[in-house]
Amino acid sequence: MVVSLRLPTLASLFFSSPSIRRSPAFSGRRLYFRPPPLTASFCAQSAASSPPETEDRVNNLKSRVNQDRVITPRSQDFNAWYLDVIANAELADYGPVRGTMVIRPYGYAIWEAIQDYLNVKFKETGHSNMYFPQFIPYSFIEKEASHVEGFSPELALVTIGGGKELEEKLVVRPTSETIVNHMFTQWIHSYRDLPLMVNQWANVTRWEMRTKPFVRTLEFLWQEGHTAHATLEEAEKEALLMIDVYTKFAYAQAAIPVIAGRKSKVETFAGAVRTYTIEAMMGDQKALQAGTSHNLGQNFSRAFGTQFTDENGQRQHVWQTSWAISTRFVGGIIMTHGDDAGLMLPPKIAPIQVVIVPIWKKENEKAGVLNAASSVKEVLQSTGIKVKLDDSDQRTPGWKFNFWEMKGVPLRIEIGPRDVSSGSVVISRRDVPGKQGKVFGISMDPSILEAYVKDKLDEIQSSLLSRATSFRDSNIVDVSSYDELKAAISLGKWARGPWSASDADELKVKEETGATIRCFPFEQPQGTKTCLMTGKPAEEVAIFAKSY
Amino acid sequence: MVVSLRLPTLASLFFSSPSIRRSPAFSGRRLYFRPPPLTASFCAQSAASSPPETEDRVNNLKSRVNQDRVITPRSQDFNAWYLDVIANAELADYGPVRGTMVIRPYGYAIWEAIQDYLNVKFKETGHSNMYFPQFIPYSFIEKEASHVEGFSPELALVTIGGGKELEEKLVVRPTSETIVNHMFTQWIHSYRDLPLMVNQWANVTRWEMRTKPFVRTLEFLWQEGHTAHATLEEAEKEALLMIDVYTKFAYAQAAIPVIAGRKSKVETFAGAVRTYTIEAMMGDQKALQAGTSHNLGQNFSRAFGTQFTDENGQRQHVWQTSWAISTRFVGGIIMTHGDDAGLMLPPKIAPIQVVIVPIWKKENEKAGVLNAASSVKEVLQSTGIKVKLDDSDQRTPGWKFNFWEMKGVPLRIEIGPRDVSSGSVVISRRDVPGKQGKVFGISMDPSILEAYVKDKLDEIQSSLLSRATSFRDSNIVDVSSYDELKAAISLGKWARGPWSASDADELKVKEETGATIRCFPFEQPQGTKTCLMTGKPAEEVAIFAKSY
């Protein structure tokens, strides 16, 4: 039975709206929010095929809606904070089917910013967009042995179409390597058809049991690149190139100092010979796998017979790659930069970079203030800055300050009657709370204001990256023994140490500590290394961490 | 059982490559292609759940691959021509599941051009993009009576997830009104939350029996706008605004002179109170419904309880619209503008607007010609023109001329040794065959060349629209009786005549002639009207036609 749920949304929450006078003194204050009574996990919200106990948990979730509170402090309960930010900043909502997510306009705009950047990079590196059908014959999935093993527990299957039972079940794509290879066999004939390099932006479905908005949902959005090459070397070069595109994106746009590296054999993608990854440290120190690039070798081309005639007239199997980034990345942005006040967005991916809050007390001040605010908006907008003017009558300036801080807008411009007289504005940074982040008397002169704002946005972008980098570095511990590793993990840290032990040892670490090898980072320390587990020589250090 | 098919693709076809000398005399010639032995329909290509006779037809289709032929003349067999163009221009290919389609890069680039234009217009008119899950609980579909009646025969159902039978079947969205309303009930509380105006770019699934690439496929891509308003008038205004956005797009970008109007009650969307449509005339005179906008009234809001509190504190159901354009539009572009030589693309949506073909005979001419071609490419590219330089060694210039004509590229620039000496190029128009479309001695001087090319692209854009408009107008017949209507339809024309008869009469016309009311056009003739069927007064003329 499907229950029509009313879940927490911003509009349904009662915000405390103290009538706040703007003064340097106030702006140093923060509103502290009362904690919610209970936290319900994402998978608690449910409809179709939910277990019986779900109803109670749903009711708990519903009961949170009418509380006079906003966001659970991050330090108090990271998971509750994350869900509160998503609900209150209107990033996403629960879909009616367990584990599905509705991406709301503000959340989707972040995804669009990710798409806009990557789409250009993919084309610059020679890839074309296209579209493969989402329904895959079940038999395709079975063709590549490790692929079917990895994906079969997570499949959604269409068994009825047009009112009739289907002869062969159809898989709703969890990823497209199989159907891509089926098509590649038809398009690839000779070495002249290579390399074949395509990408698609699509939805994918994985029947996950433990879901969490953005991080792990039953259906999610992603791009999946698929390429075929004449040699292993070319495929390897491509896989490395694409993880580099992701790495640059993470640093330059999302201000997330990911660590790029190679997955261990145990953690390699089902069907790949090698998986590269970017691993991000979230605010609770857990790792998030934020993007992957796979060298598939000839695993799929052998399973599907994807061959070409080489320059000597010999038939050869192609060498392939695939690589993906998904809406999970939005979760990574939230959990990297957010704080007790809510979301904090890097300017380069913020849907709104600057919010203008006009301030007036007397009715005769209103027109002048709104006029000035409008012209400031136009000045900034015309130079390509994403600006929002919040001129609504229904909320106090104090309420608006809190609201747009919670929404993570990097810069706030305040304009009151005295600012209008002096031809200047007040500018506050989201990333620097209170007085220190606030500057008075910035001239409204278009060229001065524009330069100031652009400069500040750049500064915030760098500041977010360097803050996240310091946080990351202060939470990575170099370890040289298993005891040190266990100690580091139990403190919530990432442990970095030389590793040349077996898969069994790796699984033992996971069993005993909950941590997995996130990657063998590309950046390796100099010098000889001794495996932390076996004491034998090791060629590389690995990073261990608990992860999402 | 799934058969791994090898279907006709460009690379697999053997093109006749006569070594053609470029001369004004040659360029007046066209290559005439030999017809293929047999035409196989889209639905013949099949895998999962295909009827037994399919195998033979698949073999027929496969047998076409190795024929020495390119494109069936349009005049000979419109359907075969359409399928040949799609295969040879590499617009799309068949997916492994019956009725599904792989959109290849060249076809997808046309869809991207459609997206780029509409996305801007949607945002300009106040809509935000977002994303709704594609899995809809089956019970949702049943809530709106006419909606379930319209869609239930076409549903794909997920019944197994994560290895388990689901308690409630999930519908793979055929359209999203139901899940949209489920969410709107949670987001809309008061009149202040209205209007709520969103859009999503997504895939949708309809279990169609007779499929045809782009025109009707089991899965297709589209955008679907969904809005909620406080009054009927606002919803009506929105529905009209969006059909106007589509109309302008069709004229200005796709050069398709659609006729915009209102659907008859019989043809109205399942769940709407009024459907607006744009109807396009294809090259075989059949109508293609190319975009629709629905005033949903309160049908879905009543079914789902989507209410708001108005300014007087009263609870009211919202008034809604939805509107969509899909990848079907790509089919419309092919079938509006194409000719015997293949595709013909309007410059504004062409993935390649200008192709440069360098021509040399002697090895010592090559470097000079390629240098000149490259700099012409750079000049044009730097001004935003989409240019392709075909400098491959493997094909003759004559082959390339035919190939890029077949791909519908609006302008071709030819550069040979003599052109290099004289500092000029030869430019040929795709839409004007032979000598008349060819101009010699256009200066390579960047400013002259750029202006000339831009001017020509504009001219081609207008020319395609006026040609299609003449074709459309010469194939619409004004009728004043049912006999005249039948005569017009039997000639393949569109019949336009006054109509105020019953739904039963409308169905009789369909039964007896195969034609349906495409729309009551917004543009109506003056004067009193008498219903062509009943002789009673009529307020409007309707357009009847056979359609895709």
Side-chain angles (χ1 to χ4, degrees), chain A residues 370-398:
Chain A
L370 286 184
N371 266 343
S374 294
S375 57
V376 165
K377 182 189 172 186
E378 267 167 45
V379 162
L380 297 179
Q381 209 158 35
S382 69
T383 67
I385 295 167
K386 295 172 188 160
V387 196
K388 163 89 185 171
L389 166 57
D390 184 355
D391 56 2
S392 71
D393 276 340
Q394 293 156 30
R395 301 293 190 180
T396 63

Side-chain angles (χ1 to χ4, degrees), chain A residues 519-538:
Chain A
C519 68
F520 293 96
F522 291 140
E523 277 184 29
Q524 287 282 334
Q526 299 289 316
T528 56
K529 303 173 189 74
T530 308
C531 177
L532 68 90
M533 184 63 85
T534 62
K536 291 184 184 155

Side-chain angles (χ1 to χ4, degrees), chain A residues 228-509:
Chain A
H229 307 266
T231 65
L232 172 63
E233 292 67 33
E234 270 184 58
E236 177 68 8
K237 200 174 149 196
E238 166 79 4
L240 286 167
L241 173 67
M242 298 323 288
I243 205 69
D244 189 52
V245 166
Y246 292 159
T247 306
K248 290 195 171 110
F249 162 73
Y251 276 81
Q253 302 295 117
I256 300 182
V258 295
I259 292 182
R262 196 185 75 253
K263 284 283 181 193
S264 70
K265 215 178 84 199
V266 169
E267 300 285 333
T268 291
F269 174 75
V273 297
R274 200 171 289 171
T275 290
Y276 298 110
T277 181
I278 51 173
E279 299 286 324
M281 185 185 285
M282 301 294 95
D284 61 354
Q285 293 137 284
K286 280 169 83 172
L288 185 81
Q289 178 178 303
T292 50
S293 178
H294 314 293
N295 182 336
L296 302 172
Q298 295 179 317
N299 288 347
F300 287 92
S301 64
R302 287 184 185 278
F304 283 82
T306 318
Q307 288 182 291
F308 70 103
T309 304
D310 70 13
E311 300 195 36
N312 306 316
Q314 300 295 307
R315 295 292 283 170
Q316 304 264 10
H317 288 98
V318 298
W319 301 85
Q320 292 180 282
T321 80
S322 66
W323 27 276
I325 265 189
S326 76
T327 37
R328 157 177 274 211
F329 210 100
V330 177
I333 291 166
I334 301 168
M335 290 194 284
T336 299
H337 301 300
D339 64 10
D340 282 352
L343 200 57
M344 194 185 305
L345 292 173
K348 288 198 177 165
I349 52 119
I352 301 170
Q353 296 171 309
V354 177
V355 63
I356 303 171
V357 178
I359 300 167
W360 68 91
K361 282 184 199 157
K362 300 173 197 154
E363 203 51 33
N364 64 3
E365 296 167 345
K366 184 176 171 181
V369 166
L370 286 184
N371 266 343
S374 294
S375 57
V376 165
K377 182 189 172 186
E378 267 167 45
V379 162
L380 297 179
Q381 209 158 35
S382 69
T383 67
I385 295 167
K386 295 172 188 160
V387 196
K388 163 89 185 171
L389 166 57
D390 184 355
D391 56 2
S392 71
D393 276 340
Q394 293 156 30
R395 301 293 190 180
T396 63
W399 187 94
K400 292 177 184 176
F401 291 1
N402 283 296
F403 179 74
W404 295 110
E405 277 185 16
M406 185 269 292
K407 296 267 271 188
V409 176
L411 273 189
R412 177 177 73 232
I413 296 182
E414 306 160 23
I415 304 178
R418 262 192 295 168
D419 301 310
V420 175
S421 328
S422 67
S424 68
V425 300
V426 179
I427 299 191
S428 294
R429 285 172 65 154
R430 171 65 179 86
D431 64 324
V432 184
K435 263 188 211 174
Q436 282 131 310
K438 194 156 195 157
V439 180
F440 293 82
I442 307 300
S443 168
M444 278 189 207
D445 176 86
S447 62
I448 297 174
L449 184 62
E450 180 199 329
Y452 186 88
V453 167
K454 289 199 164 168
D455 195 51
K456 278 298 145 200
L457 290 174
D458 287 348
E459 218 176 300
I460 296 170
Q461 183 78 29
S462 318
S463 160
L464 260 55
L465 178 61
S466 59
R467 187 189 303 188
T469 308
S470 306
F471 179 77
R472 181 197 72 181
D473 293 342
S474 67
N475 283 294
I476 300 181
V477 179
D478 282 306
V479 296
S480 55
S481 71
Y482 188 34
D483 281 343
E484 284 177 23
L485 184 149
K486 283 192 277 195
I489 298 298
S490 71
L491 290 171
K493 308 272 181 183
W494 290 16
R496 179 173 49 202
W499 184 265
S500 62
S502 65
D503 295 352
D505 282 333
E506 188 179 336
L507 291 168
K508 185 180 101 174
V509 174

Side-chain angles (χ1 to χ4, degrees), chain A residues 2 5-6 93 103 112 129-131 133-134 153 155 157 159-160 162 168 185-187 192 203 219 394, chain B residues 2 5-6 93 103 112 129-131 133-134 153 155 157 159-160 162 168 185-187 192 203 219 394:
Chain A
V2 175
L5 303 173
R6 291 193 167 264
D93 212 335
I103 307 179
E112 284 180 312
N129 284 335
M130 62 177 302
Y131 188 75
Q134 77 163 339
L155 300 178
L157 301 178
T159 62
I160 297 172
E168 180 175 12
T185 60
Q186 296 166 47
W187 301 332
R192 289 193 199 90
N203 56 342
E219 179 192 6
Q394 293 156 30
Chain B
V2 175
L5 302 172
R6 291 194 166 264
D93 213 333
I103 307 179
E112 284 180 311
N129 284 335
M130 62 176 302
Y131 189 74
Q134 77 163 338
L155 300 177
L157 300 178
T159 63
I160 298 171
E168 180 175 14
T185 59
Q186 296 165 48
W187 302 332
R192 289 194 199 88
N203 56 342
E219 179 193 8
Q394 294 156 31

Side-chain angles (χ1 to χ4, degrees), chain A residues 5 7 42-49 86 92-103 156 204-214 216-220, chain B residues 131-137 140 170-171 173 179 182-183 186:
Chain A
L5 303 173
L7 294 159
F42 185 46
C43 59
Q45 183 284 328
S46 171
S49 63
I86 286 172
D93 212 335
Y94 302 109
V97 174
R98 181 197 68 79
T100 63
M101 168 176 68
V102 180
I103 307 179
V204 275
T205 297
R206 296 180 186 176
W207 209 267
E208 302 278 2
M209 284 299 114
R210 289 188 193 172
T211 55
K212 190 183 179 83
F214 291 112
R216 185 173 285 108
T217 49
L218 199 139
E219 179 192 6
F220 55 96
Chain B
Y131 189 74
F132 293 90
Q134 77 163 338
F135 292 156
I136 301 175
F140 280 25
L170 302 179
V171 173
R173 74 177 149 228
I179 195 167
H182 175 77
M183 299 313 300
Q186 296 165 48

Side-chain angles (χ1 to χ4, degrees), chain B residues 108-157:
Chain B
Y108 198 84
I110 297 174
W111 179 237
E112 284 180 311
I114 294 173
Q115 290 186 300
D116 288 347
Y117 175 92
L118 288 178
N119 218 14
V120 170
K121 295 295 166 192
F122 295 160
K123 290 184 180 178
E124 279 174 9
T125 46
H127 306 90
S128 303
N129 284 335
M130 62 176 302
Y131 189 74
F132 293 90
Q134 77 163 338
F135 292 156
I136 301 175
Y138 189 80
S139 55
F140 280 25
I141 302 287
E142 293 173 314
K143 286 195 185 186
E144 209 288 328
S146 58
H147 195 66
V148 66
E149 194 187 316
F151 282 103
S152 64
E154 295 183 357
L155 300 177
L157 300 178

